[in-house]
Amino acid sequence: MTNYFNSLSLREQLAQLGTCRFMALDEFSEGVAALKNKKIVIVGCGAQGLHQGLNMRDSGLDISYTLREGAIKEKRQSWKNATENNFNVGTYEEMIPHADLVINLTPDKQHTSVVKAIMPHIKRDAVLSYSHGFNIVEEGMQVRDDITVIMVAPKSPGSEVREEYKRGFGVPTLIAVHPENDPQGIGFDWAKAYAVATGGHKAGVLASSFVAEVKSDLMGEQTILCGVLQTGSILTFDKMVADGIEPSYAAKLIQYGWETITEALKHGGITNMLDRLSNPAKLRANEISEELKQQMRPLFQKHMDDIISGAFSSRMMKDWANDDKELLEWRAATENTAFEKTEATSEEIKEQEYFDKGVLLVAFVKSGVELAFETMVEAGIIAESAYYESLHETPLIANTIARKKLYEMNRIISDTAEYGCYLFDHSAKPLIKDYINSLEPEVAGKSYGTDYTGVDNQELIAVNDAIRNHPVEKVGGVLRKAMTAMEKIHA
């Protein structure tokens, strides 16, 4: 049998990017009923595996874990994650034959070997689920005809899947059914119930396709979600120190600044984030943002083109085969940056200070979100999906930086996202470094515009109109109205 996704032409793959549909909340009125009394076995217990499993168990479902025999014998971290949270754990041979739903939440680079290893143990007419379709779309994995294949993809790191659930909310989620692996016609109902069990229906669910999920996910990760935040952290820190800001203060302003700034973004979009600035600071942040967009647009477009064509996946898989040479080199370089190695001050920084002294950070967020959204929509990805993959997920990634800087972000995200982040950062830093260093010192680490005597009213009106009427703001305004359970990170 020819693999379905590998047989699609580029034109057909592009057509699938726009096949998503935003689902109404009442479509989830059955809750988790489709999965009640079903035996659910999760393969792998890393960040996504553990936190999705905790949410599903709290939603009343029967969850257990299966790990490689070596991971159990050697009591590796995945075994500790599962057993310390009182889950049953067993080998593939012990657990999978009894499972009605098998959820593959292992790292992307392990998917092919894992699925090949577990498939002989999956019982007839069972369901196999993914949270990222790389193995299916990019590697061409074929699954037995009797097995239903679904995807339930929360749009955030695993830790935030759990934290948002605990706050009574959830993270936006894409669901899909493999078009050639739904023999009983149950895939969609099971995917909906799974999304409810992890809390995703409260934040918004897109009925999507495997192709759309993979391409949009890769793009968001590589650009605004990880790449821009990493590049912005390193360049802004170096600039602040060069301009005479105490390094420990600079480290704290950046480490916790992303979280504070993007919390405003989450609740009220770019409009609310920019409204937290003084009028002169808003005008300067907007100006810097537009200049950054002009400089970075070709790089964003190249990343989108390489993702659509498969060039990115080919390069990454070659690095897998080369023992992660590029990945490990870039990881080491990130760990040794001045920002990463400088301890943050214990000095208190009040919430508004992060805005007043973080004009450059705000500009980075605005430019990255708008560029990622624009580039994805131009490629054919629907606006709702592009919003989730750019604006809404940015605060969830920023939260991880607040814990242990870029180390935490790159540890929590998938191996695929980490590689894509480094790939973007590797190109972005030299592209915009001179421009960032040429900016006046007041845009980072100092209060901007404190001595201003006024602003031009017509210019301010024009900037406000441009911000409020950007397409990401329009779709965001609609989607956020459905997010009635969203709460603040910090009370």
Side-chain angles (χ1 to χ4, degrees), residues 233-255:
S233 295
I234 295 168
L235 291 183
T236 303
F237 178 85
D238 289 347
K239 174 181 172 52
M240 290 171 69
V241 173
D243 289 338
I245 302 297
E246 172 62 38
S248 63
Y249 179 86
K252 185 165 188 174
L253 189 76
I254 295 168
Q255 180 177 354

Side-chain angles (χ1 to χ4, degrees), residues 20 32 56 73 89 117 155 187 242 297 305 317 353 362 366 369 372 386 392 441 456 469:
C20 304
V32 299
M56 296 175 84
K73 286 183 177 179
V89 181
K155 297 290 94 185
R297 189 177 298 277
D305 290 345
M317 288 188 285
E353 189 174 344
V362 172
K366 179 180 182 292
V369 167
H392 189 87
D456 183 272
N469 288 299

